[in-house]
Amino acid sequence: MAIKYKVLPRKNPRDIAAPEKFYAAAIADGDVDLDRLAELISYQCTVTATDCYAVLHSLEHNIIGELEQGRIVKLGRLGNFQVGISSEGKDTATEVTTTNIVKSRILFRPGKRLRSMLNGLTFKKAG
C-alpha cells in the first residue's frame, strides 16, 4: 500500500511576488473512527467490540481531562500528548499575560515504532 499525494501550487508567504512553486501534499484515503478501531481490536483478542469501544471512549475522556490539567499524557510505545500554546511576542517578560496567548493546540510526539513506520512508506501520485 502507498500513501497517495497530489501536487499543489503554493506561494512563498515571505515573498508574495515570487512565482508559485509546486509541492507534494499527502491526501487521506478515508478515515477510521472509534467504532471501527474497537471492531478491529476485538478481532485480535478475546474482548468484544463493545468492550473495546468502552475502553477507547474512556481513554479519550481521560486524555482530555489530564490535558486540561496541564499534564503530559504518556501512552507508552504509542507516544505522548501535550498542550502547546502560541503567543504574541512582547519586549519584556512582565508584558506577557494570558491575553497574549493567541492559539492552543494538542502536540503529539509519536513513539519509536510509529516514527519508524515513516521510514518504510511508499508514495503514489493520485489520479
Side-chain angles (χ1 to χ4, degrees), residues 62-74 80-84 106-107 109:
N62 286 291
I63 287 173
I64 291 168
E66 295 301 314
L67 289 174
E68 287 175 338
Q69 298 297 314
R71 295 185 180 100
I72 296 172
V73 178
K74 296 182 176 186
N80 304 330
F81 290 93
Q82 182 177 3
V83 172
I106 295 174
L107 305 173
R109 287 188 283 302

Side-chain angles (χ1 to χ4, degrees), residues 32-41 49 52-53 56:
V32 63
D33 61 11
L34 283 182
D35 289 333
R36 178 67 177 145
L37 285 174
E39 182 181 346
L40 291 169
I41 292 167
C52 290
Y53 179 79
L56 291 171

Side-chain angles (χ1 to χ4, degrees), residues 44-99:
Q44 298 167 349
C45 63
T46 59
V47 181
T48 68
T50 304
D51 290 337
C52 290
Y53 179 79
V55 170
L56 291 171
H57 182 71
S58 293
L59 177 65
E60 175 191 33
H61 173 79
N62 286 291
I63 287 173
I64 291 168
E66 295 301 314
L67 289 174
E68 287 175 338
Q69 298 297 314
R71 295 185 180 100
I72 296 172
V73 178
K74 296 182 176 186
L75 294 178
R77 296 186 324 184
L78 185 60
N80 304 330
F81 290 93
Q82 182 177 3
V83 172
I85 60 174
S86 298
S87 69
E88 299 169 344
K90 295 295 178 183
D91 292 330
T92 66
T94 56
E95 291 179 87
V96 178
T97 66
T98 57
T99 60

